[in-house]
């Protein structure tokens, strides 16, 4: 899990840096330049962030379930429910 968290943090930092570059470029662009490239790059960053969020939610659910493993193992009703 530590490796997944470290990798996720690296990706988040990379995406944040990319968004900052885009932010600066938008306001420094010549007036005649289109926003199309910026929107495309922001869309890619948003897609990556959404995937990271989904992964983190899944990890949180897994951690929550793992923390209850002892309780589930000792409770017959819980074990039956999981079958």
């Amino acid at each position: 899990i530590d490796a997944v968290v470290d990798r996720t943090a690296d990706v988040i930092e990379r995406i944040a840096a990319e968004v900052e570059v885009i932010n600066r470029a938008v306001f420094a662009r010549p007036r005649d330049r289109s926003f199309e490239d910026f929107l495309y790059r922001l869309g890619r960053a948003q897609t990556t962030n959404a995937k990271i969020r989904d992964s983190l939610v899944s990890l949180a659910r897994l951690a929550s379930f793992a923390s209850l493993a002892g309780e589930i193992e000792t409770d017959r009703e819980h074990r039956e429910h999981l079958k």
Side-chain angles (χ1 to χ4, degrees):
I1 290 180
D2 286 341
V4 172
V5 170
D6 288 342
R7 172 74 175 128
T8 302
D10 291 344
V11 172
I12 290 171
E13 288 175 5
R14 183 176 53 80
I15 295 299
E18 173 69 10
V19 169
E20 183 60 33
V21 167
I22 295 167
N23 181 46
R24 279 190 247 118
V26 163
F27 292 104
R29 73 175 175 71
R31 292 275 182 210
D32 61 342
R33 184 166 175 204
S34 159
F35 286 104
E36 188 173 333
D37 179 55
F38 300 125
L39 292 173
Y40 174 77
R41 290 166 58 194
L42 285 173
R44 282 189 14 219
Q46 173 56 30
T47 298
T48 302
N49 278 338
K51 289 178 181 179
I52 289 170
R53 183 183 181 286
D54 288 345
S55 295
L56 292 175
V57 167
S58 294
L59 282 174
R61 288 179 178 159
L62 177 64
S64 177
F65 180 78
S67 72
L68 296 173
E71 184 179 325
I72 291 169
E73 186 177 336
T74 60
D75 188 312
R76 183 172 181 252
E77 184 180 337
H78 286 119
R79 282 195 320 269
E80 291 297 321
H81 181 72
L82 289 175
K83 285 186 179 180

